[in-house]
Amino acid sequence: MIMFASAESTVEDFEIRITSIRQLNDKTAMFAGVATSDNIVTDASTLIFVETHPDRLGGMEPAVGQHWEITGSCSKSTQRYERHSRPVLLVSATKAECIVPADHEALVKFISRDKDFAGISENKARKLIKAFPEAPHQAVLQNDVQTLADACDLTNKAAERLKDGFRKYHNIKYAKWLSNHGVPLSIVSRIIKYHDYRTIDLITENPWRLMDFGMPFDKASDIARQIIKSKDGEVSEEKYKTDPRRIIAATEDAMHKIASRGHTVATHRQIIKHLSDKHFDIKLAEAAIELAVRFKKLICVENRLYQLTGTYIHEAVIAKRLLKLTAIEQWSADEEKAYREALAETPFLNDNQKLATQRSVMYGASVITGGAGTGKTTVLRTVLSTYSSLGYTIQGVAVAGRAAMRMHEGTGCYSCTIAKYLRKDSPRHGDKYVLVIDEASMLDVQTMFALVTHLPDTARIIFVGDVQQLPSIGAGRVFADIINSNKVPVTILEKNERSEDSTGIPHYSECVIKGEVPKQLTMGNITFHDVCVDAIERTVDALVAKSNDETQVVGMTRKGFKNMAGIEQINRNVQATLNQDGKKISVSANGHHQFVDLRENDRVIFTRNNYDKAVWNGTLGTVHNINQRDDVYAEVHTDDGDIIEITHSMLFEMQLSYAITLHKAQGSQFKRIIITLTNTRMLDRSWLYTAITRAETHVDIVGPKELLLQAIATESKAMQRQTRLKSMLDSDFVVLKTKDDGTIWNIPKSA
């Protein structure tokens, strides 16, 4: 046995069962657990904290209930609570490896507590041990589902879950192999899930497959060198550079770089330019494109115009689905009666709004678009009332949580984020199902593809949004392409019904999107503060301090211009102004007491998806009830109406949100908006228009006059996006055929 004094000691190969994940990111892995082996001296209450770098986890992501073998330097500490204290063992791990416990009793607890075996109780786990006492792990992998179910008194579903869980741990050796080659933890789990036992063979065969799971080309190439060297020995530089696998991968990488600017197609010239940046001469670059087409990685859709095969499929499926929906045209006595009844509830609709209602009920796909306050929600409420009378099931979705909540409040239909909707099983509601997509300008091609493939074939789709707003972060301009194709019925709402003219918001935003400078830069409830960049922070502080309304600061970048007036700095300033005395979150990490700079009543935003908690990247909320109990440190009351308990790991998935970027604010409305102008690179009239129209009553624009004028003068960068969805819709294709050279034929309906 190893005895621990207060000084640091070293211990090898002791085992723990994880009880909580404290932190897990690209730089730090920290988890807590209890000892399951007897070569470490602790009493029953001792809590063990393990901290290490993610690269030392052997490619496995730690999770509650797992068993791990640890080697590292250790020291003792004490975790103090209000009424008691608890001994703590602090471990800085040089090695950490996930294991399946060999001891039968430990294996029973492992199965009953690990979420990968959810629903399998200790009693059921003991029946597994009784049925296969010699090698339960191997028995689960080798026997079929029915045999396991009969032997262990399990349902077939539980037996399948048991096999899936053990298969994951059987894959530890593949995860370790990837980790030893420098593949990051976040990518390892995705590869293992997809390739399973074929992982080593497939990655060895083509190391650039790592790019399919998010690894950058340069890093994949470094790993490829290692693998090729270990497999074939030294390879000449010339042979490596001209390796067909490498040059095809470089072409795909070029396409992904082009897609990051919003394009779904690329010209021959653009691809050559990106390849030349990687030191490809013109001959090698031409060969790379030719090979990529030959191996169906790229598709030549027109003369010297290319798409990634996956992107082509996405746009083609969207187009085909929408064309099928536009063929649905129905207006019988039932529709007329339901429409008249709904209209009686909103008799103030103008003719254009009535037309929008009729089109949305008549056709399988339709678009309602217009600027801020033109009555989109009112029209939608009438549309959905009509559909409800006709017996349709109605589902509302939006990219942003606040937009989904606003749709629910405005129309009464059940609404949620698209991310949450896609995690549900595909809806099954017969022929009468309507999906309403609000803030549709935020749709990228990948998200739209996910939606149309998730829906029943007979489901109708209504797109609602403002096409003038900032385009999606991801590639494509789905909403604009649908509108511009003239294949989907579109109604443009123009008359403003929401904002009174005295606010100035409708007129000001209309001037901006037209590229016209308003006669007065300050008018109505819009105030322009002409200040230099280094005075923006001061001005924002003063505005926030005297504001009584719900106020949201919207900025351009996190760091700002030369580290001035960025989102991060403004957040710190506003917190000090509004919530300096708020109770801080107190954290005991690895036995050391410290504070996290988040306070009770702070406004926060979640920065990553957390599926276990049903929280999505971009969810906004307010911190409440700071009072540590077990692994819960506070609550966040989200703007969607949910209450989220904040565990230790989630503390690192939140940021202050007094100031947020426009992409995070898009789809949301706030009483008052403060807009900061700092960055010329991303500034255009679409950005400014979107920022202004986030406000319901008041707008403050803060920054240099030349930046405001530049924004109004600069055409929206969305107009420069190269996409194919519009031309696919225009062609009315229904069949796809491939020529020998990889070129796609779009076969018109008339053919």
Side-chain angles (χ1 to χ4, degrees), residues 570-747:
I570 290 174
N571 269 318
R572 288 192 290 269
N573 294 345
V574 175
Q575 184 193 49
T577 300
L578 297 183
N579 198 27
Q580 186 172 11
D581 297 327
K583 183 179 178 181
K584 289 184 178 181
I585 296 178
S586 173
V587 177
S588 293
N590 279 14
H592 299 294
H593 190 71
Q594 56 182 296
F595 289 101
V596 175
D597 198 19
L598 294 174
R599 307 175 185 184
E600 201 158 57
N601 299 318
D602 268 341
R603 291 285 297 163
V604 293
I605 186 169
F606 289 90
T607 57
R608 59 175 292 186
N609 294 334
N610 188 318
Y611 297 110
D612 292 335
K613 293 282 188 177
V615 176
W616 319 115
N617 184 3
T619 297
L620 293 161
T622 304
V623 178
H624 290 278
N625 299 331
I626 290 179
N627 186 18
Q628 183 183 350
R629 51 205 182 280
D630 297 326
D631 192 35
V632 176
Y633 292 84
E635 293 175 348
V636 169
H637 295 195
T638 73
D639 292 353
D640 305 346
D642 296 326
I643 297 177
I644 308 299
E645 290 188 334
I646 303 304
T647 58
H648 191 284
S649 61
M650 294 183 74
L651 293 173
F652 305 93
E653 299 172 359
M654 296 188 301
Q655 296 171 352
L656 293 172
S657 68
Y658 297 106
I660 57 178
T661 62
L662 182 56
H663 274 116
K664 296 293 188 186
Q666 194 171 0
S668 299
Q669 295 288 142
F670 306 90
K671 291 289 184 184
R672 184 187 194 119
I673 288 287
I674 300 174
I675 303 167
T676 61
L677 305 178
T678 59
N679 187 295
T680 59
R681 183 180 59 82
M682 62 193 301
L683 198 56
D684 63 19
R685 65 182 65 146
S686 179
W687 190 96
L688 183 60
Y689 171 86
T690 306
I692 291 171
T693 54
R694 297 311 87 214
E696 294 178 1
T697 59
H698 288 80
V699 178
D700 289 279
I701 303 173
V702 184
K705 182 177 179 180
E706 58 267 26
L707 286 186
L708 177 61
L709 298 180
Q710 177 189 327
I712 297 171
T714 304
E715 186 179 46
S716 170
K717 294 178 178 62
M719 302 296 292
Q720 302 165 17
R721 291 192 175 190
Q722 300 160 190
T723 65
R724 282 268 299 164
L725 181 57
K726 177 182 178 296
S727 59
M728 286 180 167
L729 286 166
D730 287 342
S731 68
D732 282 9
F733 72 92
V734 292
V735 179
L736 310 179
K737 292 184 179 180
T738 308
K739 294 181 181 179
D740 292 338
D741 64 0
T743 304
I744 291 293
W745 290 350
N746 293 336
I747 308 299

Side-chain angles (χ1 to χ4, degrees), residues 361-379:
V361 175
M362 182 180 293
Y363 296 100
S366 59
V367 172
I368 302 170
T369 186
T374 53
K376 294 189 294 293
T377 300
T378 303
V379 170

